[in-house]
Amino acid sequence: TMTGTPGSMQSGGDIYTFNSIATFTATLDATSGIFDVYLRAATQGNMLAATATLNGVNATSVLAYNSNASQGIEQEVYWKWSNVTAGDFYTFQFSAAAPHVLLDQVSLSTVAAAVPEPETYAMLVAGLGLIGFMRRKHAQKRPTTA
């Protein structure tokens, strides 16, 4: 679900704010696990603020596209939160830097975070053990000097 500041207008799936600084809230159902979470937003008019929150945790945007158009600035920004433990839902909040923002695209996605498998740790331990064994064997073969 996606909502905007009271007083904003929704038309054709877009959200436009007239005279107030927009605050947007998006909610996404979650699953179990640990994820990297991405939020992408495309706007026209004024720019979005750099900071967004996911369940109260801040992230700073990365500007992917910026252009001056006849309706004002067009931009596309991304936010990323790493290693988020899933809960019942995600709540994103982000806002505009000034009034008169048309939010025309929002995309939310999750990607399973890379977590080493137990086999990876077992291979690491085996490799370190082999290196230690070879080093000890090599040390035993050295001639002793008196």
Side-chain angles (χ1 to χ4, degrees):
T1 60
M2 182 78 189
T3 59
T5 302
S8 61
M9 174 182 74
Q10 266 187 291
S11 173
D14 298 340
I15 299 175
Y16 178 75
T17 61
F18 293 106
N19 296 318
S20 61
I21 294 179
T23 300
F24 303 100
T25 302
T27 303
L28 174 69
D29 291 337
T31 57
S32 60
I34 297 176
F35 298 94
D36 291 340
V37 180
Y38 299 86
L39 170 65
R40 182 187 69 78
T43 63
Q44 293 180 357
N46 284 319
M47 297 173 46
L48 293 173
T51 302
T53 63
L54 166 59
N55 296 345
V57 176
N58 286 339
T60 302
S61 65
V62 174
L63 183 62
Y65 174 78
N66 192 35
S67 173
N68 287 325
S70 60
Q71 295 90 7
I73 298 169
E74 286 186 38
Q75 74 170 174
E76 184 174 328
V77 294
Y78 296 85
W79 292 272
K80 176 186 176 187
W81 292 266
S82 298
N83 299 318
V84 175
T85 302
D88 294 335
F89 57 88
Y90 301 114
T91 300
F92 299 91
Q93 288 190 316
F94 55 102
S95 61
H100 308 294
V101 171
L102 173 69
L103 181 65
D104 64 356
Q105 296 177 28
V106 174
S107 174
L108 305 169
S109 60
T110 58
V111 177
V115 177
E117 298 290 328
E119 294 85 10
T120 304
Y121 290 120
M123 287 177 28
L124 175 65
V125 169
L128 290 174
L130 182 61
I131 290 170
F133 173 76
M134 296 300 290
R135 187 176 181 134
R136 183 174 180 164
K137 186 176 178 183
H138 181 70
Q140 290 174 349
K141 287 185 177 181
R142 281 191 202 153
T144 56
T145 58

